[in-house]
Structure formats: structure tokens, C-alpha cells
Amino acid sequence: MGSRIVATGRATPRTVITNHELERRMDTSDEWIRTRTGISQRYTLCTGESLVEVAERASREALARAGMKPEDLEAIIVGTVSSDFGFPSFACQLQHRLGLTSIPAFDVAAACSGFIYALSVADATMRAGEWSRVLLIGADALSTMVDWNDRSTAVLFGDGAGAAVMVSEPGQRGVLGSILRSAGQHWDLLSVRNRGIQSPIDAEARTNQNDAIKMKGPELFKIAVKSLEDITRRVIERAGVTLDDISLIIPHQANLRIINAVGERLGIKPEKVFTNVDRYGNTSAASVPIALDEAIESGRIHDNDLVLLNACGGGLTWGANLIRW
Ligand code: ACO
């Protein structure tokens, strides 16, 4: 018995912030942001909005497409580092909004790799026969954790949520394998203290800047490229397939230069790599499921295609999932 994604959904906050809007707020330029990152705009949570509400919309969309009701679910797993509370978890808040009362609901904290990690946990538990219908979410709001005076981080992040409904199923289709890695020795390349600064772009109050996201961008860039190349090769090799067999790679959408550098090192054609970082920025754990949902919607994934998901983020953490669609 394996696990298969049968439907996906996505949702974003209402407010779009373009690079030109950022030009008015800080010493940056549309040209710098686009050439260094590939980002043109991002969605950001504003005061009064909640990320759980965004995740609920993505969840209900995925459930409707799966032809299921919330009551059909047996577990909820959320890849996130953006819960409003230290506890309860984001997953418990989402469970409550979905009107569910007793199924297990928990978060997986792996920063930008959160969805990849959560998918691996769901697949392993479903293979063990514990659950047969799982709601998997990647949701983050890192824009609320940046110091809006720090142009080197403020331009990078956006907010959103992506959802996937997974079911247990016999047969050849579904998750073929996952590989996860962490390197805690590199914790200080990308970090935020406790629950972060929690300062939406429209907030008046500015809390302690030491509580904002801290990033060593150029070092992170190099390790991300190497790690993503390595994990992609490993998960493919372990499944006994080759890069040529892969129909589509859906990478974490952090930065177009990272995505292109990994693609070049793998020797994979750009048309086999899905990107939407231009419209979303880096939505952390939400980026892979949002991209997956858009890839499906735009007809880029067909039955029996081999699809590879990968991500790297704070921790450091990284990982990949290989799926026979
Ligand atoms: N606008 C204008 N200029 C800027 C901006 C900005 N927003 N940000 C930095 N600069 C300036 C710097 O001050 C510096 O100026 P200087 O030369 O006068 O000192 C110059 O641009 C170059 O700065 P670098 O940091 O060396 O620029 P780099 O080309 O490395 O790009 C970037 C920075 C985009 C952050 C890059 O390092 C990167 O993408 N790193 C990976 C970070 C990342 O993606 N993090 C997300 C989470 S991790 C992950 O998901 C993989």
C-alpha cells in the first residue's frame, strides 16, 4: 500500500506588493530584485488577516477537488514555522476551522522544506497502515517576520498556503520515495528568534529588529545549490530511475538563480523545471504545494509522469520527494 496525491489547492492573502511598491518603501529597485532573485511581486498578510484562514481556503479547495468533506480526513499535517501561537499548533487551529474534533493534527517545522518533510511523514505513516486519507498543508507568512528596513531580506518573502489531499492506494502510482537531510551546524545562515517579529507590512509598530529574520544570503545560496543537486540525484538513484525519466521538477521557489543553477548542474532542460517565483516570492513551506497546484492547473502534469519535488531552507533542512503521478 502506498500513498498518492489526489487533489491540490492554493490560497494567498489579498494584498499584492510589487517591486515598484517596495521601491517606494526602501532603497531598492525592481531591476535589482528581478535580476538577483527573479521576483516581481509577492502576496503579504496584512493586519487583521490570518494565515490559518488562508490555509483553510487552500484546504477546502483541495478537498472539493478530491470530492471529499473535511469529515473524510483521518489526519492533518502542516509544514509551517508561522503558527500564531507557540502552541497550540497551526494544524490544531486549522482542524478547528475545518470543524473537525478528534483526528490527529500536527505541525512539521522544517522552514522552507516543511512541505517536503510533511509529505514524507504522511507517506511513511500511510504505508504503515495508520491513515488512509490525509490533508497535507504547506503554509507560511515569513513576510511578517522580516525587518522592513532590511532590504536584503524584505524583498524576498511572500505568504500563502498550498494543500494536498493524499489517499492510501495499492499500485504503481504515488510517492516512490523521499530523502530528508538537516545540517544544524548551519543554523545561523537563516534564522528568526522564537515566533519572530510578527510585523505585517502595514503595521505601525516596529518591534525589536533582533527578532527579525537574519540571513547570510551568499553562503546560503552556495549550500542550497549543492544540497538540492545532491538530494535530487540521490532520490532518483534510489528509485532506480534516471534524470531523463523525470517529467517535471517542482523546486522550492526561493530564487530563480538558485533554481537555474541547480538545473544547470543536473543538466536538465529548463522546460522540465516549474517556476512561479516571479509572482509569489519565497513563500517558504507553501512554495512547493502552490507551485504543484499551478503546475497541475496549467496541464504540466499527466498521469504516470515522474514528478520530483525538492526544497532547502532554514535549519538548514533539505529534501526531495519522487512521485509517480
Ligand atoms: N536592493 C538593492 N540592493 C541590494 C538589495 C536590495 N533589495 N539587497 C542587497 N543589496 C545590495 C547589497 O547591499 C550589496 O551591496 P554592496 O555591494 O554595495 O555591498 C549588493 O546588493 C550585493 O549583495 P549580495 O548579498 O552579495 O547580493 P547577492 O547577489 O548575493 O544576492 C541574495 C543576494 C538575493 C539574497 C542571494 O544571496 C540569495 O538569493 N541568497 C539565497 C537566499 C535565499 O534564497 N533565502 C531564502 C531562504 S533559503 C532557501 O530557500 C534556499
Side-chain angles (χ1 to χ4, degrees):
M1 191 67 78
S3 74
R4 188 164 80 83
I5 294 175
V6 292
T8 56
R10 67 176 189 275
T12 50
R14 288 186 293 273
T15 306
V16 177
I17 303 288
T18 63
N19 292 348
H20 296 293
E21 169 74 16
L22 293 180
E23 278 176 348
R24 288 190 282 277
R25 288 171 173 266
M26 63 190 76
D27 180 18
T28 190
S29 70
D30 173 55
E31 208 261 334
W32 191 97
I33 302 170
R34 275 191 295 105
T35 53
R36 301 291 178 120
T37 71
I39 299 167
S40 298
Q41 63 166 50
R42 71 288 289 144
Y43 296 84
T44 56
L45 270 192
C46 286
T47 307
E49 270 184 303
S50 108
L51 185 64
V52 179
E53 180 267 326
V54 175
E56 181 190 353
R57 278 193 275 127
S59 303
R60 291 195 185 275
E61 184 172 70
L63 285 165
R65 288 173 175 167
M68 286 187 200
K69 296 188 177 66
E71 302 77 58
D72 296 323
L73 295 169
E74 293 174 6
I76 299 174
I77 309 179
V78 184
T80 188
V81 287
S82 304
S83 182
D84 278 341
F85 298 95
F87 63 86
S89 68
F90 190 100
C92 284
Q93 297 166 61
L94 179 63
Q95 177 199 28
H96 180 51
R97 287 191 76 112
L98 291 173
L100 300 173
T101 51
S102 68
I103 60 168
F106 59 93
D107 295 351
V108 173
C112 299
S113 314
F115 187 80
I116 304 291
Y117 267 62
L119 194 154
S120 173
V121 170
D123 175 53
T125 316
M126 292 169 86
R127 276 177 200 279
E130 191 68 25
W131 308 312
S132 54
R133 290 180 299 276
V134 174
L135 177 65
L136 194 64
I137 308 287
D140 266 319
L142 267 52
S143 90
T144 65
M145 303 178 202
V146 293
D147 172 1
W148 287 101
N149 298 310
D150 174 10
R151 64 180 184 175
S152 67
T153 53
V155 304
L156 300 177
F157 299 102
D159 310 329
V165 175
M166 294 179 75
V167 301
S168 315
E169 213 177 75
Q172 305 304 310
R173 292 172 65 191
V175 182
L176 300 185
S178 304
I179 300 184
L180 308 178
R181 293 280 184 269
S182 303
Q185 69 273 26
H186 295 309
W187 70 272
D188 62 344
L189 296 189
L190 180 60
S191 64
V192 68
R193 291 205 316 200
N194 200 3
R195 178 49 192 91
I197 199 165
Q198 286 197 288
S199 179
I201 190 166
D202 62 334
E204 292 295 325
R206 288 279 173 266
T207 39
N208 187 347
Q209 292 177 355
N210 287 331
D211 291 339
I213 286 178
K214 298 271 181 288
M215 187 180 77
K216 296 181 181 167
E219 284 165 83
L220 188 53
F221 190 104
K222 286 180 208 143
I223 298 182
V225 170
K226 278 192 201 137
S227 312
L228 289 168
E229 180 198 0
D230 180 68
I231 208 78
T232 300
R233 290 192 188 280
R234 279 177 197 267
V235 80
I236 286 172
E237 194 182 325
R238 207 178 61 180
V241 297
T242 68
L243 269 168
D244 286 342
D245 299 323
I246 303 296
S247 307
L248 192 65
I249 295 185
I250 301 184
H252 170 45
Q253 307 287 314
N255 181 315
L256 193 58
R257 285 163 57 221
I258 294 179
I259 294 172
N260 288 344
V262 175
E264 275 165 30
R265 288 169 81 119
L266 291 169
I268 198 151
K269 291 186 188 130
E271 55 268 29
K272 282 193 170 187
V273 182
F274 188 86
T275 61
N276 64 5
V277 66
D278 55 323
R279 285 170 291 123
Y280 292 92
N282 179 350
T283 57
S284 186
S287 94
V288 168
I290 288 175
L292 177 62
D293 187 55
E294 283 204 340
I296 294 168
E297 195 174 81
S298 57
R300 298 279 299 273
I301 302 180
H302 308 99
D303 285 358
N304 293 308
D305 276 357
L306 264 184
V307 178
L308 187 138
L309 316 179
N310 67 28
C312 173
L316 295 182
T317 58
W318 63 102
N321 319 111
L322 185 63
I323 302 171
R324 171 75 67 189
W325 206 259

